[in-house]
Amino acid sequence: MAQGFKLAANRRARARDNARAREFLSEQAWEMLKYARFWYSRLTLLHALTLWALPDDTERPQDLHGKGSDPQELVRQWLRPADDRIDIPEHPFVDAARRLSICALQTRKPEKFLWIDEAGTAAQVGSENAGLKDRRRECLWIAPSAGWSTLEPTAQQLLADVLILLILAERGDRMDDRMRRFERTEVDRPPLLPPCLTRSRRPLDPMRTEVRSADSPPGSNCSDRCSFELCPFPPKGPESRIEFSETFCMTQRAMLRAWRPRSWVSLRFRRKARWQRHVPVADLRQFWSEMEGRAWDRPVEEVRP
């Protein structure tokens, strides 16, 4: 349902559109966000509300007073729970999405900070014919052909780890097993993320192949301190639903360099996201090198450190 709200919000308002219907959907999405506890639902609904809050005329100067004049406060109101319990920590992914939503409202360029479909965005670089792009923008905030390269580096970091967690939980064909793993990620007390995303990426072991799938059930490679039981990464094969491209992995590894391009300074880009601050940079670089090798089916000894 949250994904449906985001798809509806991606349609830009037209003169013939029913304003009351759009307002009703926006209110329902806000109401749903008040009670939602699952991190992915909250992130998706936040994206939807951000798209609905964008003005039709993106060239109009930011209002100093009134509705839409304070994006930070507006997003904070969206994420406030219904029972106003301030002791519930926000999920790191939702908190990162909050910051990006504020940037999208301030710049009015949602394609740089939000996405519509995680897998579809990560699967394509995002280049397209300029004329076609202009025509699509007449009816959609974010075109279906928008890829990961159009996102700011901070949004690319978030997209990558959101997909990793979804892949870990969504593996396999049995719906009851998948729902059970999703429930393990739906926690409201620390740790909110598994150690493979916040401490060490080694348990993910992404170089496993279909031949080794028999010894790769979820939880078989987790550390003793992990209660999520999601590792290792699903072996590459016919059953793998999503695979990162070599270019995507190379870009993720490049963002871990000490230098920062001038275009990244405006967002105070960190080469490690907030939830990655306890992961050694060398560990992250090795992980994305292995993911790059996985994309080309290279043996583990040929993967660059």
Side-chain angles (χ1 to χ4, degrees), residues 290-301:
E290 292 177 353
M291 291 295 290
E292 180 187 346
R294 172 188 172 109
W296 283 95
D297 295 319
R298 295 174 184 162
V300 66
E301 59 270 12

Side-chain angles (χ1 to χ4, degrees), residues 89-129:
E90 189 62 88
H91 194 278
F93 289 170
V94 180
D95 185 61
R98 174 186 65 83
R99 300 171 187 274
L100 293 171
S101 290
I102 293 173
C103 291
L105 292 173
Q106 290 174 338
T107 63
R108 298 173 180 176
K109 296 180 179 179
E111 69 279 0
K112 291 182 175 293
F113 307 98
L114 315 178
W115 56 82
I116 301 303
D117 176 71
E118 289 81 9
T121 302
Q124 53 190 354
V125 177
S127 59
E128 61 176 335
N129 179 271

Side-chain angles (χ1 to χ4, degrees), residues 2 32-33 35-45 90-91 94 165-166 169 178-179 181-188:
M32 185 177 179
L33 181 57
Y35 295 94
R37 289 292 176 263
F38 184 37
W39 64 271
Y40 182 71
S41 298
R42 292 180 63 79
L43 187 152
T44 304
L45 290 167
E90 189 62 88
H91 194 278
V94 180
L165 188 54
L166 290 176
R178 292 162 60 185
M179 293 304 299
R181 285 191 291 273
F182 271 121
E183 289 175 0
R184 293 176 194 156
T185 71
E186 187 179 357
V187 292
D188 56 7

Side-chain angles (χ1 to χ4, degrees), residues 6 21 46 105 107 111 119 138-139 164 197 213 227 256 279 290:
K6 183 158 70 169
L46 179 58
L105 292 173
T107 63
E111 69 279 0
E138 294 179 0
C139 58
I164 289 173
L197 293 180
S213 61
S227 60
L256 296 167
V279 185
E290 292 177 353

Side-chain angles (χ1 to χ4, degrees), residues 28-280:
Q28 293 301 306
W30 188 357
E31 187 71 13
M32 185 177 179
L33 181 57
K34 290 181 181 179
Y35 295 94
R37 289 292 176 263
F38 184 37
W39 64 271
Y40 182 71
S41 298
R42 292 180 63 79
L43 187 152
T44 304
L45 290 167
L46 179 58
H47 281 185
L49 289 170
T50 302
L51 292 172
W52 267 316
L54 290 168
D56 298 336
D57 183 7
T58 57
E59 302 298 327
R60 189 186 67 192
Q62 186 84 31
D63 294 333
L64 298 179
H65 304 284
K67 186 176 181 180
S69 61
D70 190 349
Q72 293 187 6
E73 180 62 23
L74 180 61
V75 175
R76 189 182 71 83
Q77 291 291 339
W78 289 340
L79 292 173
R80 177 178 293 175
D83 51 9
D84 205 19
R85 288 175 56 191
I86 60 175
D87 60 324
I88 299 179
E90 189 62 88
H91 194 278
F93 289 170
V94 180
D95 185 61
R98 174 186 65 83
R99 300 171 187 274
L100 293 171
S101 290
I102 293 173
C103 291
L105 292 173
Q106 290 174 338
T107 63
R108 298 173 180 176
K109 296 180 179 179
E111 69 279 0
K112 291 182 175 293
F113 307 98
L114 315 178
W115 56 82
I116 301 303
D117 176 71
E118 289 81 9
T121 302
Q124 53 190 354
V125 177
S127 59
E128 61 176 335
N129 179 271
L132 180 60
K133 185 175 181 179
D134 291 338
R135 289 195 297 272
R136 282 174 174 166
R137 281 182 173 176
E138 294 179 0
C139 58
L140 297 177
W141 286 110
I142 303 175
S145 56
W148 56 266
S149 67
T150 62
L151 295 171
E152 292 288 340
T154 47
Q156 291 181 29
Q157 282 181 328
L158 177 60
L159 172 66
D161 279 6
V162 165
L163 263 176
I164 289 173
L165 188 54
L166 290 176
I167 291 171
L168 289 172
E170 203 175 22
R171 66 205 299 182
D173 296 325
R174 290 176 56 86
M175 180 59 68
D176 53 346
D177 291 339
R178 292 162 60 185
M179 293 304 299
R180 192 180 305 112
R181 285 191 291 273
F182 271 121
E183 289 175 0
R184 293 176 194 156
T185 71
E186 187 179 357
V187 292
D188 56 7
R189 290 293 183 270
L192 301 176
L193 283 171
C196 59
L197 293 180
T198 61
R199 295 287 178 179
S200 174
R201 301 265 166 139
R202 294 181 182 178
L204 289 170
D205 193 11
M207 293 301 292
R208 296 184 180 223
T209 61
E210 185 184 6
V211 177
R212 299 174 56 193
S213 61
D215 61 345
S216 304
S220 62
N221 210 40
C222 291
S223 63
D224 293 337
R225 70 174 66 179
C226 180
S227 60
F228 291 82
E229 298 183 359
L230 299 174
C231 289
F233 209 75
K236 185 176 181 180
E239 294 184 0
S240 52
R241 301 174 183 273
I242 304 170
E243 288 293 336
F244 292 106
S245 67
E246 182 191 26
T247 309
F248 184 88
C249 299
M250 289 174 60
T251 302
Q252 289 291 320
R253 191 178 71 248
M255 287 192 293
L256 296 167
R257 296 172 182 169
W259 61 268
R260 302 178 184 181
R262 185 180 300 274
S263 60
W264 295 2
V265 175
S266 60
L267 286 176
R268 298 179 181 179
F269 173 72
R270 297 178 175 87
R271 58 175 176 168
K272 292 197 300 183
R274 293 174 181 270
W275 62 87
Q276 300 172 349
R277 63 182 181 272
H278 296 300
V279 185

Side-chain angles (χ1 to χ4, degrees), residues 281-305:
V281 173
D283 193 77
L284 285 168
R285 287 181 59 84
Q286 176 65 21
F287 169 75
W288 286 112
S289 293
E290 292 177 353
M291 291 295 290
E292 180 187 346
R294 172 188 172 109
W296 283 95
D297 295 319
R298 295 174 184 162
V300 66
E301 59 270 12
E302 293 184 9
V303 175
R304 289 179 291 175

